[in-house]
Amino acid sequence: MKEGAQLTQAGVSPRYEVFHTDCPARDVVDHVTSRWGIWVLISLRSNNLRFYELRESIRGISEKMLAQTLRALVEDGLVWRKVEPTTPPQVTYGLTEFGQDIGEPLTDLFDRITQRLPPRSDGDL
């Protein structure tokens, strides 16, 4: 099999070639695994949150980076965005079905990591 070729089965739609630089699935993987993408998905795993609530739940993220990350995840179909026509506008974010599906293994990973770390002392955050 030559490099970059994809395996297909009869009657099954072809899979994306994620190792190819112009594969659209690669962009989604990049957004999910970006520095802030994973934290946004984990923060939204059980609640829909407004922008400021997300910003407060993800310590260390700037408004600019949160806005960019949310924009990418909305475009990828992982996060939905609802704007209430108030002054100022209230913007709420939540996970789509696709985002929930992607978020499950991330939550499992997060839980496994935190369960394997040594117990925290009182001085830890």
Side-chain angles (χ1 to χ4, degrees):
M1 181 187 303
K2 68 182 213 186
E3 187 176 335
Q6 57 186 39
L7 294 172
T8 58
Q9 297 174 345
V12 177
S13 61
R15 299 179 59 96
Y16 287 99
E17 293 186 41
V18 294
F19 291 102
H20 196 279
T21 57
D22 62 354
C23 177
R26 188 173 181 156
D27 289 337
V28 175
V29 170
D30 287 344
H31 295 152
V32 168
T33 60
S34 70
R35 177 171 184 188
W36 300 112
I38 192 168
W39 297 113
V40 168
L41 294 174
I42 289 172
S43 293
L44 292 172
R45 66 185 168 195
S46 57
N47 295 324
N48 301 332
L49 297 172
R50 293 182 47 199
F51 184 89
Y52 79 91
E53 294 171 321
L54 263 171
R55 190 185 67 222
E56 289 178 7
S57 72
I58 306 170
R59 306 230 171 142
I61 191 168
S62 68
E63 286 189 26
K64 177 183 175 184
M65 287 310 304
L66 179 57
Q68 287 177 356
T69 302
L70 285 166
R71 190 176 308 113
L73 294 174
V74 167
E75 287 175 10
D76 292 339
L78 297 166
V79 171
W80 55 260
R81 178 180 188 264
K82 180 180 178 186
V83 180
E84 294 290 331
T86 59
T87 305
Q90 293 182 355
V91 183
T92 306
Y93 295 90
L95 294 180
T96 63
E97 185 178 329
F98 183 29
Q100 291 170 358
D101 192 36
I102 296 300
E104 280 183 38
L106 296 176
T107 298
D108 290 342
L109 175 65
F110 179 77
D111 290 344
R112 287 181 187 201
I113 290 169
T114 56
Q115 289 169 3
R116 292 287 190 148
L117 290 173
R120 291 180 8 181
S121 66
D122 289 341
D124 292 339
L125 293 176

Coordinates of all heavy atoms in Angstrom, one line a residue, residues 41 44-46 48 77-80 94-107:
L41 N -14.4 22.0 25.7 CA -15.3 20.9 25.6 C -15.5 20.2 27.0 O -16.7 19.8 27.3 CB -14.7 19.8 24.7 CG -14.6 20.3 23.2 CD1 -13.9 19.3 22.4 CD2 -16.0 20.5 22.7
L44 N -18.0 22.4 29.0 CA -19.4 22.3 28.6 C -20.0 20.9 28.7 O -21.1 20.7 28.3 CB -19.4 22.8 27.1 CG -19.2 24.3 26.9 CD1 -19.1 24.5 25.4 CD2 -20.2 25.1 27.5
R45 N -19.2 20.0 29.3 CA -19.7 18.6 29.3 C -21.0 18.4 30.0 O -21.8 17.5 29.7 CB -18.6 17.7 29.8 CG -18.3 17.9 31.3 CD -17.2 17.0 31.7 NE -16.8 17.5 33.0 CZ -15.7 17.2 33.6 NH1 -14.8 16.4 33.0 NH2 -15.4 17.6 34.8
S46 N -21.3 19.2 31.0 CA -22.5 18.9 31.8 C -23.5 20.1 31.8 O -24.6 20.0 32.3 CB -22.2 18.5 33.2 OG -21.4 19.4 33.8
N48 N -24.7 24.0 29.8 CA -24.6 25.1 28.9 C -24.1 26.3 29.7 O -24.6 26.6 30.8 CB -25.9 25.4 28.2 CG -26.5 24.2 27.5 OD1 -25.7 23.3 27.0 ND2 -27.8 24.2 27.4
G77 N -18.9 22.4 14.3 CA -20.1 21.7 14.6 C -20.1 20.9 15.9 O -20.9 20.1 16.2
L78 N -19.1 21.3 16.8 CA -19.0 20.7 18.1 C -19.7 21.4 19.2 O -20.1 20.9 20.2 CB -17.5 20.5 18.5 CG -16.6 19.7 17.6 CD1 -15.2 19.9 17.8 CD2 -17.0 18.2 17.8
V79 N -19.8 22.7 19.0 CA -20.4 23.6 20.0 C -21.5 24.4 19.3 O -21.3 24.9 18.1 CB -19.4 24.6 20.6 CG1 -20.0 25.6 21.5 CG2 -18.4 23.7 21.4
W80 N -22.7 24.6 20.0 CA -23.7 25.5 19.4 C -23.6 26.9 20.2 O -23.1 26.9 21.3 CB -25.1 25.0 19.5 CG -25.5 24.5 20.8 CD1 -25.5 23.2 21.3 CD2 -26.1 25.3 21.9 NE1 -26.0 23.2 22.6 CE2 -26.4 24.5 23.0 CE3 -26.3 26.7 22.1 CZ2 -26.9 24.9 24.2 CZ3 -26.8 27.1 23.3 CH2 -27.1 26.3 24.3
G94 N -23.1 25.6 24.2 CA -23.4 24.2 24.7 C -22.8 23.2 23.6 O -22.4 23.6 22.5
L95 N -22.8 22.0 24.0 CA -22.2 20.9 23.1 C -23.3 20.4 22.2 O -24.4 20.1 22.7 CB -21.6 19.8 23.9 CG -20.4 20.1 24.7 CD1 -20.0 18.8 25.5 CD2 -19.3 20.6 23.9
T96 N -23.0 20.3 20.9 CA -23.9 19.6 20.0 C -23.8 18.1 20.3 O -23.0 17.6 21.1 CB -23.5 19.9 18.5 OG1 -22.2 19.3 18.3 CG2 -23.5 21.4 18.2
E97 N -24.6 17.3 19.6 CA -24.5 15.8 19.7 C -23.1 15.4 19.3 O -22.5 14.5 20.0 CB -25.5 15.2 18.8 CG -25.6 13.7 19.0 CD -26.7 13.0 18.2 OE1 -27.7 13.7 17.9 OE2 -26.4 11.9 17.8
F98 N -22.5 16.0 18.3 CA -21.2 15.6 17.9 C -20.2 16.0 18.9 O -19.3 15.3 19.3 CB -20.9 16.4 16.5 CG -19.5 16.1 15.9 CD1 -18.8 14.9 16.1 CD2 -18.9 17.1 15.1 CE1 -17.6 14.7 15.5 CE2 -17.7 16.9 14.6 CZ -17.0 15.7 14.7
G99 N -20.3 17.2 19.5 CA -19.5 17.7 20.6 C -19.5 16.8 21.8 O -18.5 16.5 22.5
Q100 N -20.7 16.3 22.2 CA -20.9 15.4 23.3 C -20.2 14.1 23.0 O -19.5 13.5 23.9 CB -22.4 15.1 23.6 CG -23.1 16.4 24.1 CD -24.6 16.2 24.2 OE1 -25.1 15.2 23.8 NE2 -25.3 17.2 24.7
D101 N -20.3 13.6 21.8 CA -19.7 12.4 21.4 C -18.1 12.5 21.5 O -17.5 11.6 22.0 CB -20.1 12.0 20.0 CG -19.7 10.6 19.5 OD1 -19.7 9.7 20.4 OD2 -19.4 10.4 18.4
I102 N -17.6 13.6 21.0 CA -16.2 13.8 21.1 C -15.7 14.1 22.5 O -14.6 13.7 23.0 CB -15.8 15.0 20.2 CG1 -16.1 14.8 18.7 CG2 -14.3 15.4 20.4 CD1 -15.3 13.6 18.2
G103 N -16.6 14.7 23.3 CA -16.2 15.1 24.7 C -16.2 13.9 25.6 O -15.5 13.9 26.6
E104 N -16.9 12.8 25.3 CA -16.9 11.7 26.2 C -15.5 11.1 26.4 O -15.1 10.9 27.6 CB -17.8 10.6 25.7 CG -19.3 10.8 26.1 CD -20.2 9.7 25.6 OE1 -19.8 8.5 25.7 OE2 -21.3 10.0 25.1
P105 N -14.8 10.8 25.4 CA -13.4 10.2 25.6 C -12.5 11.3 26.3 O -11.6 10.9 27.0 CB -12.9 9.8 24.3 CG -13.8 10.3 23.3 CD -15.1 10.7 24.0
L106 N -12.7 12.5 26.0 CA -11.9 13.6 26.6 C -12.1 13.6 28.1 O -11.2 13.7 28.9 CB -12.1 14.9 26.0 CG -11.8 15.1 24.6 CD1 -12.2 16.5 24.1 CD2 -10.3 14.9 24.3
T107 N -13.4 13.5 28.5 CA -13.8 13.4 29.9 C -13.2 12.2 30.6 O -12.7 12.3 31.7 CB -15.3 13.5 30.1 OG1 -15.8 14.7 29.5 CG2 -15.7 13.4 31.5

